[in-house]
Every structure is written in structure tokens, then in C-alpha cells.
Amino acid sequence: MKKSRIYHLFIPGMIICLVLFLGSCEFDEFLEKPAGADITIDTLFSNTENAQQLIFSLYHDSYFGANNIVLHWWDEPQNWGSWSEIGEDLYFPEFFTTKAYVDGTFNPTSGHLYPINYLFDAVRKCNIFIERAETIPTQSAIEDEYIRRMTGEAHAHMAYQYFKGFRLWGSLPWINKVLEGGEEPYPRIAFSTLIDSMVARLDLAAEMLPEQWDGQWTGRFTVAAAKALKAKILVYAASPLYNGPLPSYASGYDYPEVLGYGDDDPERWKRAADACKEAIDAATDAGHEIYTGSVPKENLYHLAINLTKEHIIYQRFRPSTNVEGGWAYCYNMMNWPFGIGWHLRTDVTYQPTIQHVDGYQMINGKFPIEGYVDNDGTNPIISSAGTDAGYDDQTYWKDRDPRFYNNIIYHGSTFGETYNTKLVNFDSNPDVPNRTHGDWPAFKTSLMVHKFVNEALGADPSVTYQPVHPIIRLADLYLLYAEALNGYNDGPNGEAITYFNLIRSRSGMPGYDAENYRGESDKEKFENAIKYERKVEFFMEGQRYFDLRRWKDGDELNLEMAGLQIYNDVVSRININWTNVFPERMYFHPFHADWVNNTPGLYQNPGY
């Protein structure tokens, strides 16, 4: 059989129906066998071309998506919702589906951004493929190797699903075979066992996967991707939420073993550091490299809108034109300044707060704002370094970390430089100069998100864009490695600082200087340096919410949001009357009540 036959893109309607059917279980059945599946499953595994459709389905955004920014209005489970608006100090209109995550009301009856039945639908598909792979008829050694690679993908996808699950709920039932119905309940396994199980799957996957996929198949799991995911899992596992005592609210919980290790062992940082270095080496061997294809001030912007060699695990979507009504990618449509290019509306989705802006360093590596009087964002405390640098709220945007300009659109910034000559004015009434807020009351902060917004779409209606959502990129591995080395060595060694500085230099920032960071020890200062880098480097990549929780820094999610108002060129800070609330119990999310009531062994997390 020719190789092109194996990789054929045509998907028969019958196979599509079967793949969807395999993932259609209700809440009370998501660990069990779909009725009647055996009648048609033989068709799926009758040849390689059909069987690959099951693997392809695992890359659908229902299972694979990072949920870092919204896609569109109509698909489940994401809809108008992502992890970024939950963790990035952003205001967003109150109709969003993630409101309960940020206002402190999330509970066992709330709707979930990633429902657990999606996770176990994907796990079931992985187990089906693994168990049936050897039954697929083949006609060549090429087909045999392709089936081996797809089996590696199935193992990797299983680990990825459990990674998405444990960072929300802690440990879960480990399902490593296709359930037929009537089995004894599968209880949640110990956290340590879950970590080891995911690692074992990824080690197995790395033995089966290719170093690279050819041409159109880029984006599928590779050796480097499997090792990168393993590294990330082990850094999470070594982090304070899991590698140490339980949060105080969980004391007395009947099942403490599902929430973490229960003790603090620095060897877990060593295990994580070794996995990070192994992943970095594999990525380098496969041709991955830090993106430096533009000037430092624009590197992160271009990285965010293009597929690059820095991307290791990512999700890519079909090309979309910029004609309103034809969008499958609403993020760009809803994050444009009024009146520029094709966009003539005033609705703004993600609105960064002034507290987010205050967190950026100056170009010299100093922090201009060191806190707030009574935690009030309208009353900042300007640091001595900020004073020395001439920081003033009237020019808050001046001389900041270049990633500020990559991430944020502010009043007076440039936008669409190849086709626009005017500066951004957020007022929809052009007769009132130098004023913000205008006639749309939901625009409150006078700040917009720039990252992932492709300005080229405004140049011409025919321009198309194929979005790339990063899940793990090489910069992530570098910072995870630096973090793990710091954790194990009780402070940064030379190698940790070297990898840390590779990220700084890419964006035009000076190298690590301990004097710029708070902390009572070298270790604590470098921890805070890592936390800063991850905040600004991975803005809108859906990572910060999980970073803050694994570091046990959930208090940072408690925020009285403030924004800006500009009138006749005078900048004023304002309270926008929106509060983020992070109850301590949200370090471990609740399972939906329906899942707990209908699934023996899936007992509820503490605090609910």
C-alpha cells in the first residue's frame, strides 16, 4: 500500500459518526462502554486509513484544546470561556460562562469549562485504539510503523488528559482498559500513583513516536512533545501545592492521598529538572529553537501569530477570513480598537486591569510599582526605582518591558502600522479627542489585549489567519528547567540563570539581577523572578491560573479591579467595581454533583 493511501484525508461519513459516538457517553456512563459500539467498531479497525480517524479525533479542541483564549460562540465545552480570563487580571463582560470561576461562587452545580466526561471520552478512545491496534490489517512495513506511531500518540493523549484533569481536581480514577460495563467501581488513585502512571505512558510514547512528522502532519505528538509534557507534569508535581502539606482547609479530609504527596521532598525537583533537560535536548535535536525572527520589541507578537520552531505542542485551526460573519475565531474579531481596519464595533472582550500593567518591569529591569495603599489599585505606591526612572502615571506606558507592548493595546499606541497612520483612540465618537470609554459602558479599563491579535487582518478583507494556540513551547521548558534547578539546589545555579536569561534576552531585557526581586534568600528571589517571567511571557496562554494554584499563590487572584480613564490627555485611575474572588477551596475544584452521584469512587473534593 502506498504511503499516500495511509495518510489520505478523506473521512467517510460512517467513520465520523462512529468516532463521535465513541465520545457521546452521558455523565453517569462516561467510564463505561457505549451501547452497541461493538457492532460497528470492527469497521473502524478494518484498515489503517479508517483507524487513524480515531487518533485524529483526539486533536479536536473538545479534547486537545488549551482553552487559553476563546474560539467562538457555539461549540461546547468552551463557548465564551478560557483559562486566561480566570487568571490574568482581566475584566470581561459578565455574560461569559467562566463568571463563577472568578466571583467566588463556583460550586458542584456550576458549569465546567472542561467537563470530566470529555476527559474520559478521550481516555476511552485512547484505550480502544491501544487495545485494537494489533488487529488492524496491514500490507507493508510502512503501515506497521505508522500504527506503532499512532499507538504512541494514544499513550501520549491519555497522559495529556490526566494532566488536564489533575491540575483541576487532583487525582482521578485511572482507567487503563476499555470498560465493558458491570466492573467494580474505579476509585481515585493516590496522587503519587497518578503522576507515575502518566510518566510511564509518556516514556512509552516517546519510544514509539517519531522525532518529527512530515509536512501536513506537523502538530501531532512527537518524541520531544511527549518528553516536554512529562517534564511539565513533574514540575507541577514538585510544586508547593502537591509537594508539601495540604492546604489548611483540607485538614481532616478522608482522602488526603488524592490531593498530593503530603510531604516535601526536594528529590522531586531533581526528578523534574532531569526530565526538563531531557526534553530540552530532545527538542533541540528535533530542530526546535527560541524564536528570534524579529526585533526584540516585536518577537513575542510575531511568535504569537505564527507557527514557529519554538512551538512543541500546539493546536492549530483552519484558516479564517476577516469578514465578519465568517469567523470561527472570535478572539481577533472582539479585540480590535474601534474604527481601525475592518472592525467598526465597540464591543471589547478582554480588558487588562491597571494592576496587570503595573506588574511590568521598566526596560532596566526595575519594578516601578511596589504595591498599593490599602490594596487599592487607584492608589499605587511608586518604588524608589520607579521614581529614579521618572515613572509617572501620565506616561505609564513609557520605557516598559517590551512584552508590555506585545501584550497590551493602550490609548495612544500604534496599531496596524502597515496600513494606519492614526493612533489608537478608544472613543467611538471621533469628535471628542483624547477621551476613553465613549458610548459603550462595558469598556471599563481603557486597556485591550494585543497578544494573538493579528493586525494584518485589517490591511485587506482578503487576508486570512490560521491561529496557533501554544500548549508547550520551548520557552516554557527553559523556565520550567530553571525553576526545577532552583528548587533542588535551594537557589539558582549557573545553568538555571543561563536558561532564564535566554528568555529575557529574546525580548530585549537585561539578565537576571537578584537585587530587582523581593525575597529573603537567593532561592526566593529567583522564584519571584521565574514568577514574573511566566506572568509576562505566557500572558493569555492559559498558564497563569494553574501556575498561581500550583505555587499556592491563589491570594493573587483576589483583586479589586482598577482601570484608566483619559480625558483631554489626562490619565486617571478608576475603580471599575468588579472583584475577583479566590476561595482557598478552589486550589482543588469540585466535581460536578451529577458526576459524584452517578460514579462510585469519584468522591468529592474537600470544601464542597
Side-chain angles (χ1 to χ4, degrees), residues 56-71:
F56 292 167
S57 73
L58 292 169
Y59 290 98
H60 187 273
D61 56 274
S62 292
Y63 309 121
F64 193 62
N67 286 16
N68 54 1
I69 51 182
V70 294
L71 297 178

Side-chain angles (χ1 to χ4, degrees), residues 44-244:
L44 182 65
F45 290 96
S46 63
N47 59 59
T48 306
E49 186 177 33
N50 287 353
Q52 70 181 350
Q53 310 308 324
L54 191 60
I55 296 298
F56 292 167
S57 73
L58 292 169
Y59 290 98
H60 187 273
D61 56 274
S62 292
Y63 309 121
F64 193 62
N67 286 16
N68 54 1
I69 51 182
V70 294
L71 297 178
H72 38 67
W73 293 291
W74 50 86
D75 268 8
E76 292 288 349
Q78 191 178 24
N79 287 122
W80 271 112
S82 73
W83 296 118
S84 291
E85 68 251 22
I86 298 170
E88 300 280 13
D89 295 346
L90 301 171
Y91 172 76
F92 54 92
E94 297 179 25
F95 59 80
F96 276 28
T97 57
T98 49
K99 183 173 181 286
Y101 283 93
V102 299
D103 67 3
T105 63
F106 197 79
N107 63 72
T109 64
S110 300
H112 285 236
L113 184 55
Y114 193 60
I116 201 171
N117 57 304
Y118 281 75
L119 183 155
F120 281 108
D121 286 347
V123 167
R124 180 174 178 83
K125 290 181 179 182
C126 294
N127 281 323
I128 288 173
F129 191 92
I130 291 167
E131 291 186 12
R132 296 294 298 260
E134 292 185 355
T135 70
I136 303 170
T138 61
Q139 300 181 33
S140 70
I142 292 176
E143 279 192 273
D144 291 338
E145 177 59 22
Y146 185 48
I147 291 170
R148 174 180 169 82
R149 291 180 174 190
M150 289 193 292
T151 305
E153 287 180 278
H155 287 297
H157 275 283
M158 179 174 288
Y160 180 59
Q161 290 302 313
Y162 277 105
F163 166 68
K164 293 179 73 171
F166 94 77
R167 63 182 187 168
L168 295 173
W169 300 295
S171 188
L172 296 162
W174 180 259
I175 310 299
N176 60 0
K177 66 177 183 179
V178 179
L179 300 185
E180 298 298 327
E183 290 91 351
E184 290 296 315
Y186 277 68
R188 298 172 68 181
I189 61 175
F191 179 84
S192 59
T193 305
L194 179 64
I195 296 298
D196 291 344
S197 298
M198 288 186 288
V199 166
R201 290 287 177 151
L202 290 166
D203 285 341
L204 185 58
E207 295 177 0
M208 298 179 169
L209 291 166
E211 186 176 85
Q212 294 178 326
W213 290 90
D214 296 333
Q216 63 182 322
W217 301 117
T218 57
R220 299 172 73 169
F221 266 104
T222 60
V223 173
K227 292 185 175 183
L229 180 56
K230 171 185 170 180
K232 188 151 190 160
I233 287 170
L234 289 175
V235 171
Y236 267 65
S239 299
L241 181 60
Y242 310 107
N243 186 21

Side-chain angles (χ1 to χ4, degrees), residues 240-519:
L241 181 60
Y242 310 107
N243 186 21
L246 296 180
S248 58
Y249 80 92
S251 61
Y253 180 56
D254 289 340
Y255 310 100
E257 70 280 359
V258 305
L259 301 181
Y261 292 107
D263 61 359
D264 184 355
D265 185 351
E267 289 299 318
R268 294 181 186 121
W269 283 117
K270 176 64 163 58
R271 187 185 185 192
D274 290 345
C276 286
K277 186 60 168 66
E278 182 182 9
I280 289 170
D281 290 344
T284 301
D285 291 344
H288 293 285
E289 60 188 20
I290 292 293
Y291 176 79
T292 56
S294 185
V295 296
K297 187 176 179 179
E298 297 180 357
N299 270 328
L300 200 62
Y301 167 70
H302 289 285
L303 171 67
I305 62 172
N306 294 287
L307 180 62
T308 74
K309 292 181 180 179
E310 184 169 326
H311 292 88
I312 299 175
I313 306 178
Y314 57 91
Q315 188 180 28
R316 201 170 193 191
F317 301 91
R318 67 183 181 273
S320 299
T321 63
N322 59 1
V323 177
E324 190 171 345
W327 276 80
Y329 190 66
C330 291
Y331 177 86
N332 262 268
M333 186 173 75
M334 301 293 287
N335 286 280
W336 275 57
F338 179 85
I340 289 183
W342 60 275
H343 189 59
L344 298 175
R345 292 164 47 165
T346 56
D347 40 352
V348 181
T349 47
Y350 294 148
Q351 301 172 38
T353 60
I354 189 59
Q355 289 101 325
H356 173 79
V357 170
D358 287 341
Y360 286 87
Q361 291 177 337
M362 304 294 285
I363 191 64
N364 63 1
K366 307 292 184 181
F367 288 95
I369 306 297
E370 61 182 22
Y372 305 95
V373 176
D374 297 327
N375 204 32
D376 180 359
T378 67
N379 198 352
I381 301 170
I382 300 176
S383 67
S384 59
T387 300
D388 292 343
Y391 174 83
D392 187 285
D393 267 3
Q394 299 304 309
T395 54
Y396 65 91
W397 45 266
K398 187 178 179 181
D399 296 331
R400 304 304 285 267
D401 182 330
R403 288 169 290 192
F404 166 73
Y405 309 103
N406 289 196
N407 292 341
I408 306 298
I409 302 169
Y410 59 94
H411 186 74
S413 59
T414 56
F415 189 94
E417 296 180 31
T418 62
Y419 57 87
N420 262 307
T421 58
K422 57 186 176 181
L423 298 179
V424 170
N425 187 324
F426 289 135
D427 199 327
S428 60
N429 183 354
D431 297 326
V432 184
N434 301 317
R435 188 184 77 165
T436 54
H437 294 275
D439 61 357
W440 196 56
F443 186 35
K444 296 179 179 293
T445 73
S446 299
L447 297 160
M448 294 175 65
V449 172
H450 187 210
K451 192 172 184 181
F452 296 112
V453 176
N454 186 357
E455 294 182 17
L457 292 171
D460 187 276
S462 65
V463 174
T464 61
Y465 176 36
Q466 187 168 9
V468 180
H469 285 196
I471 297 173
I472 299 178
R473 50 186 175 91
L474 192 56
D476 195 4
L477 277 184
Y478 284 5
L479 291 177
L480 291 173
Y481 185 38
E483 181 180 353
L485 289 172
N486 187 58
Y488 178 65
N489 294 303
D490 204 30
N493 59 12
E495 189 161 15
I497 293 173
T498 295
Y499 278 92
F500 176 88
N501 283 341
L502 287 171
I503 307 306
R504 299 276 290 179
S505 62
R506 184 257 295 281
S507 292
M509 290 295 286
Y512 176 67
D513 182 349
E515 295 302 314
N516 290 339
Y517 301 93
R518 294 177 177 175

